[in-house]
Amino acid sequence: MQPSLTICSLLSLCAIGCLSDIIFDPEDAFRDMHQVSSKYGYTTEVHNIVTEDGYIIEVHRLSASPKYGPANASHLPVLLMHGLMGSSGDWIFLGPEESLPYLLSDRGHDVWLGNARGNRYSRNHTQLSPETREFWDFSFDEIGRYDLPAIVDHVLTETGHPKLHYVGHSQGTTIFFILNAERPEYNQKFELMQALAPAYLMASMGIFEMKPIPKDWMKLANALCPEFIRNSLCLELMHALTSNKYLHFGTHGFPVLLNHMPAGSSTKQWAHFGQEVVSGHFRRFDYGPERNRQQYGSEVPPSYNLSHVTVPVVIYYGLADELVHPIDVRLLAETLPNLVALNQQANATFNHMDFLAASNVKDVLYDSLIRNVEQRQPAPKFNASDRP
């Protein structure tokens, strides 16, 4: 095999998918989320938040749109949370005309994009170094218990609103359920939760960190690998990882996605999802009987009590999603006490990453999400001076 093909193969092992047939600026592949959104005219802020256990979380805010101007202060803020191995950059793969954050901002919404500890934007701690194993000793349990409440409280403090809208993809839904199950007082801080491919079951792996792709690797791939090779390898890996075909994906956006995903995680997150597969239970991390007794007071880790999750929830799922199986989604729907709607994507081939990068996702999904947000906004405050 030619050396360039070997390098391409190694690089492609880190890729998760390819994008829809939309024209991209190739330079976007070398920009971070803040730089990309600012380039397209969105007023983008970077907020650093310290969690209760010392992790420093970077959050991105779109506070003004080139089409709408500054966000409408009367609108509840909208918080988007990515899935496993993702970041805030997951939401902007499709460019300014199709991506959910831009669409919301263009309609006057104050949009916040969270990041979980350990991804490319949140690799800092007040005391621990990401070069140590101790830094990576977390699963999605800690992200739900510490990262998400810190982000929610920061957004509400900054905006002055008592509630926000929440949209989560995959693990972004898992941490929402953990937070509101374990800390029920947070239920009152959400107006509506919209769950895209809500995740309980995934695979585990055996090392303690999953690193993001170095930018130099991507530059090398672009220099040495013909485009058709990069694209075909990317799609074939996506098919292999999910045991299905991504029929809605094209190829033009591969360099952009490769820069943003995978964005890094702890492999303890993967292990925790793997435990859910084996046990069939949605519960805290299983350390084994002895440590479980020390940690939880019982040999078996406690389950998350979803009856405590009283936030109104709208679920969207795809029939071809092999990472989040429709059967498990329906079981979740039966468990939630305040389910508003369970929406199956009409196209039977809609898959896990299609929620972020399908060529038709605006029409088949995002327009509906935005309608739900706009139907649940606080009534305008009546000012006596407005009387005729």
Side-chain angles (χ1 to χ4, degrees), residues 17-18 230-240 246 249-251:
C18 299
R230 296 200 307 270
N231 293 335
S232 62
L233 285 171
C234 170
L235 285 170
E236 286 307 313
L237 177 71
M238 189 70 154
H239 304 159
Y246 277 68
F249 280 26
T251 57

Side-chain angles (χ1 to χ4, degrees), residues 200-255:
Y200 287 83
L201 310 177
M202 291 186 74
S204 60
M205 299 183 73
I207 56 176
F208 75 94
E209 177 189 359
M210 297 296 293
K211 293 182 180 291
I213 297 175
K215 289 187 178 181
D216 289 345
W217 285 25
M218 184 176 59
K219 291 178 181 178
L220 199 59
N222 287 336
L224 298 180
C225 303
E227 182 178 3
F228 76 93
I229 293 176
R230 296 200 307 270
N231 293 335
S232 62
L233 285 171
C234 170
L235 285 170
E236 286 307 313
L237 177 71
M238 189 70 154
H239 304 159
L241 284 176
T242 61
S243 303
N244 217 321
K245 294 291 184 181
Y246 277 68
L247 303 179
H248 306 288
F249 280 26
T251 57
H252 294 307
F254 173 58

Side-chain angles (χ1 to χ4, degrees), residues 298-311:
S298 64
E299 291 189 358
V300 176
S303 295
Y304 301 113
N305 189 347
L306 292 186
S307 68
H308 292 163
V309 182
T310 59
V311 179

Side-chain angles (χ1 to χ4, degrees), residues 2 8 17 19 66 78 85 100 116 128 175 179 192 204 206 217 222 276-277 322 358 380:
Q2 298 178 1
C8 292
L19 300 181
V78 184
M85 292 291 286
L100 181 59
L128 301 175
I175 63 174
L179 170 59
L192 179 70
S204 60
W217 285 25
N222 287 336
E276 308 295 341
V277 175
E322 293 292 337

Side-chain angles (χ1 to χ4, degrees), residues 280-292:
H281 294 285
F282 183 44
R283 62 192 187 188
R284 299 192 65 181
F285 193 86
D286 190 345
Y287 294 99
E290 183 175 348
R291 186 172 170 187
N292 283 345

Side-chain angles (χ1 to χ4, degrees), residues 154-166:
H154 181 84
V155 171
L156 297 182
T157 298
E158 288 289 312
T159 62
H161 283 283
K163 292 185 176 183
L164 55 76
H165 279 273
Y166 186 90

Side-chain angles (χ1 to χ4, degrees), residues 26-315:
E27 290 303 310
D28 285 354
F30 302 98
R31 298 184 175 105
D32 62 25
M33 189 276 166
H34 174 265
Q35 292 168 333
V36 172
S37 55
S38 297
K39 169 198 160 184
Y40 290 115
Y42 293 85
T43 301
T44 309
E45 302 171 4
V46 175
H47 294 244
N48 287 296
I49 304 165
V50 180
T51 68
E52 184 180 332
D53 58 345
Y55 285 82
I56 301 173
I57 306 300
E58 183 171 309
V59 174
H60 300 129
R61 179 189 193 183
L62 302 184
S63 59
S65 156
K67 297 180 180 179
Y68 187 93
N72 188 328
S74 69
H75 288 175
L76 298 180
V78 184
L79 173 60
L80 312 182
M81 279 301 298
H82 61 80
L84 181 65
M85 292 291 286
S87 74
S88 57
D90 293 7
W91 300 99
I92 61 168
F93 291 156
L94 298 179
E97 300 301 321
E98 304 285 336
S99 297
L100 181 59
Y102 299 139
L103 296 172
L104 285 164
S105 183
D106 289 344
R107 295 180 65 88
H109 298 285
D110 187 0
V111 184
W112 295 75
L113 300 101
N115 285 292
R117 64 182 64 192
N119 77 9
R120 66 172 68 249
Y121 297 112
S122 300
R123 294 171 59 87
N124 291 296
H125 190 279
T126 54
Q127 297 179 358
L128 301 175
S129 165
E131 301 304 316
T132 65
R133 180 177 294 269
E134 288 76 14
F135 180 95
W136 299 100
D137 187 17
F138 62 83
S139 74
F140 54 74
D141 181 90
E142 286 81 7
I143 298 172
R145 287 174 178 273
Y146 300 117
D147 296 12
L148 186 54
I151 295 170
V152 168
D153 289 341
H154 181 84
V155 171
L156 297 182
T157 298
E158 288 289 312
T159 62
H161 283 283
K163 292 185 176 183
L164 55 76
H165 279 273
Y166 186 90
V167 181
H169 175 245
S170 193
Q171 182 187 258
T173 69
T174 311
I175 63 174
F176 172 90
F177 294 130
I178 290 171
L179 170 59
N180 290 282
E182 296 295 298
R183 304 180 67 176
E185 67 273 17
Y186 272 83
N187 282 277
Q188 64 185 348
K189 299 186 180 187
F190 297 92
E191 176 66 25
L192 179 70
M193 189 276 201
Q194 300 193 72
L196 314 183
Y200 287 83
L201 310 177
M202 291 186 74
S204 60
M205 299 183 73
I207 56 176
F208 75 94
E209 177 189 359
M210 297 296 293
K211 293 182 180 291
I213 297 175
K215 289 187 178 181
D216 289 345
W217 285 25
M218 184 176 59
K219 291 178 181 178
L220 199 59
N222 287 336
L224 298 180
C225 303
E227 182 178 3
F228 76 93
I229 293 176
R230 296 200 307 270
N231 293 335
S232 62
L233 285 171
C234 170
L235 285 170
E236 286 307 313
L237 177 71
M238 189 70 154
H239 304 159
L241 284 176
T242 61
S243 303
N244 217 321
K245 294 291 184 181
Y246 277 68
L247 303 179
H248 306 288
F249 280 26
T251 57
H252 294 307
F254 173 58
V256 180
L257 187 144
L258 182 57
N259 182 50
H260 289 282
M261 180 181 282
S265 71
S266 78
T267 52
K268 191 174 179 182
Q269 292 168 247
W270 292 80
H272 199 169
F273 275 117
Q275 290 177 0
E276 308 295 341
V277 175
V278 174
S279 71
H281 294 285
F282 183 44
R283 62 192 187 188
R284 299 192 65 181
F285 193 86
D286 190 345
Y287 294 99
E290 183 175 348
R291 186 172 170 187
N292 283 345
R293 282 194 297 269
Q294 298 172 356
Q295 190 89 5
Y296 310 124
S298 64
E299 291 189 358
V300 176
S303 295
Y304 301 113
N305 189 347
L306 292 186
S307 68
H308 292 163
V309 182
T310 59
V311 179
V313 176
V314 176
I315 293 176

